[in-house]
Amino acid sequence: MATISLRKGNTRLPPEVNRVLYVRNLPFNISSEEMYDIFGKYGAIRQIRIGTTKDTRGTAYVVYEDIYDAKTAVDHLSGFNVANRYLIVLYYQQAKMSKKVDLKKKEDELTKMQEKYGVSTKDK
């Protein structure tokens, strides 16, 4: 497995490690203050974005100033219990996230084309 050349002491980080974390399984009513209390213990935070739409509720992005603080947060908060929910804390990976968006967009385009040309995919 390749490693990033950034070092803090002799620590080498795997390539997926970055400053942006994707958090799932959050309580829907969690506040920004609660998020800062939980994640701020591991280092300076640049930004937290909590999902507010039907599709994004229960998720958030946490951006740390330092990559090592983000790694420490993932190590300590994965499986952390908040309001009887166990957090899933992952490193944000643009390639995986954009594939989900692209797939949805392509499905929508296909549906529009089927409607436009009167094509049905249902068995008769």
Side-chain angles (χ1 to χ4, degrees):
M1 180 180 262
T3 56
I4 291 177
S5 60
L6 296 173
R7 292 175 182 238
K8 192 172 198 176
N10 283 334
T11 305
R12 299 192 84 178
L13 298 175
E16 70 274 8
V17 176
N18 67 70
R19 296 180 310 119
V20 183
L21 305 182
Y22 177 62
V23 185
R24 295 186 2 218
N25 206 34
L26 287 164
F28 289 168
N29 61 349
I30 196 162
S31 70
S32 295
E33 292 77 22
E34 291 170 311
M35 289 290 292
Y36 276 98
D37 286 346
I38 294 166
F39 287 86
K41 293 175 181 166
Y42 301 98
I45 294 174
R46 181 172 288 179
Q47 182 181 59
I48 292 180
R49 291 214 156 176
I50 299 173
T52 56
T53 67
K54 181 182 165 210
D55 294 339
T56 62
R57 285 188 321 170
T59 66
Y61 292 98
V62 179
V63 183
Y64 279 92
E65 294 287 339
D66 186 89
I67 193 169
Y68 294 96
D69 295 340
K71 183 180 184 321
T72 303
V74 169
D75 293 346
H76 288 89
L77 292 175
S78 293
F80 185 74
N81 189 328
V82 176
N84 292 322
R85 297 180 70 93
Y86 294 97
L87 298 185
I88 299 168
V89 184
L90 307 165
Y91 296 107
Y92 173 71
Q93 295 179 334
Q94 175 64 39
K96 287 187 178 179
M97 297 298 179
S98 63
K99 282 181 185 173
K100 288 181 185 175
V101 172
D102 290 344
L103 183 60
K104 177 72 174 139
K105 187 176 177 182
K106 287 180 181 182
E107 286 174 353
D108 291 344
E109 288 173 4
L110 180 61
T111 302
K112 286 179 187 172
M113 293 296 280
Q114 287 172 335
E115 289 170 0
K116 181 178 178 180
Y117 293 105
V119 177
S120 175
T121 56
K122 294 179 182 166
D123 293 329
K124 294 184 181 187

